Amino acid sequence: MSSSYLSEGRPPGAGYLSGLRLAGRAATRVWLFVVLFLVWWFWSAGSKSLYFPPLSSILKSLWTQWVTGPARAELSSSLEHLLVGYVIAGVLGIGIGALLWSLRYLREATSPYLYFLYVLPAPVLVPAALTLFGIGFTMKVVLIAFAALWPTLLNTLDGMRGVDQVKLDTARVLGVSPVGTVFRVVLPAAAPQIVAGLRNSLQVAIILMVVSEWEASTDGIGYYIVNAQQSFDYVGMWSGIIVLAIIGTVANVLFVAAENRVLHWHYGARAVEGARR
């Protein structure tokens, strides 16, 4: 066995130590969740309170309602709203940001209005969205897309503004077209900041997914939670809140995995630069 380790360039026990490090990282990330889970479990055990049911009842409701029960339809509806609204916001945010960077006069003419719309709280637009689009899919998607648009758009614009002028001059000298410069020079250089904007937009989209389902809605997780609260079904209400937390956690994990894959060259360059220092 030792010869195989030596042939691979690894000392004996390296795999064991690597496993210990991974286990230590995992424990560092989940310890607080485990502690809170245990506190909630024992604190609520045997509780007769209508407003604070036992965690065991909530977990049972998670399975019977959201995994095998009728609430799966609410989950599917919310995820559809979230996905469509977030994709629209991402595409428009990057596209409009690139367009405004390319057209300086248009950027200067629209800048005050962009920041005005950015600071406008999206939840206050729910009545207007209901009036314009009615109850249904379109209203929810429009609200999610509108709210999630701004972090991506503004981060895209700021990231493009920060591109090294030497790179732009080099592309111009080499005869690269303006469109080619955007796709081959500017967008890759601004990618880290664009991805940061997309991550912020994801959190905003999840929030607006719920808010858009609170008022005058007939489906979705937000509708389920409000309906359960108004019906004094507090077990169902808590189970819906936990489902939202799970959605946010899974979405964030998937985004980080995609980010690490897309920006691996950026993190590698930073690591090399840090090592030189």
Side-chain angles (χ1 to χ4, degrees):
M1 179 179 295
S2 61
S3 61
S4 64
Y5 271 109
L6 293 174
S7 64
E8 296 174 3
R10 294 184 302 172
Y16 177 73
L17 293 176
S18 177
L20 284 179
R21 283 194 292 268
L22 290 175
R25 292 175 185 172
T28 301
R29 294 176 179 178
V30 304
W31 72 269
L32 182 58
F33 173 80
V34 174
V35 169
L36 293 176
F37 178 88
L38 293 175
V39 169
W40 191 358
W41 179 277
F42 289 108
W43 191 15
S44 64
S47 172
K48 303 298 182 181
S49 171
L50 178 66
Y51 309 105
F52 189 63
L55 182 57
S56 57
S57 300
I58 298 173
L59 296 179
K60 181 180 179 181
S61 177
L62 278 174
W63 180 262
T64 58
Q65 291 293 319
W66 297 96
V67 179
T68 62
R72 289 184 301 174
E74 314 297 345
L75 177 60
S76 299
S77 177
S78 289
L79 291 179
E80 183 181 11
H81 302 152
L82 173 64
L83 179 61
V84 175
Y86 178 67
V87 170
I88 292 174
V91 172
L92 289 180
I94 297 174
I96 296 174
L99 178 64
L100 293 177
W101 176 85
S102 303
L103 304 175
R104 181 170 62 88
Y105 293 109
L106 179 62
R107 179 173 70 245
E108 294 176 353
T110 58
S111 179
Y113 306 102
L114 290 178
Y115 283 95
F116 171 78
L117 293 173
Y118 169 65
V119 300
L120 183 66
V124 304
L125 298 177
V126 172
L130 284 171
T131 303
L132 294 173
F133 304 105
I135 300 173
F137 177 85
T138 303
M139 182 270 292
K140 299 179 181 67
V141 169
V142 167
L143 281 174
I144 293 171
F146 176 82
L149 169 68
W150 307 109
T152 299
L153 191 159
L154 296 178
N155 270 45
T156 298
L157 193 53
D158 288 342
M160 289 181 168
R161 285 173 175 170
V163 175
D164 190 353
Q165 186 62 40
V166 174
K167 295 180 180 179
L168 300 177
D169 293 338
T170 302
R172 188 179 303 110
V173 170
L174 294 176
V176 181
S177 66
V179 176
T181 300
V182 170
F183 283 97
R184 297 169 61 182
V185 178
V186 179
L187 281 177
Q193 195 159 345
I194 294 174
V195 170
L198 287 169
R199 189 170 186 175
N200 290 335
S201 291
L202 178 61
Q203 309 305 319
V204 173
I206 293 174
I207 294 172
L208 265 294
M209 176 191 74
V210 181
V211 171
S212 66
E213 295 169 349
W214 277 350
E215 298 292 337
S217 180
T218 58
D219 60 356
I221 299 175
Y223 166 77
Y224 180 93
I225 292 174
V226 171
N227 187 61
Q229 184 267 336
Q230 294 175 347
S231 303
F232 302 100
D233 177 17
Y234 293 104
V235 171
M237 181 192 74
W238 282 108
S239 70
I241 293 173
I242 293 177
V243 167
L244 278 177
I246 294 174
I247 290 175
T249 301
V250 171
N252 187 65
V253 169
L254 293 176
F255 188 94
V256 170
E259 176 184 353
N260 291 334
R261 187 175 183 84
V262 171
L263 296 180
H264 64 92
W265 56 270
H266 173 67
Y267 298 132
R270 287 176 56 185
V272 171
E273 183 180 350
R276 289 177 178 173
R277 294 178 181 176

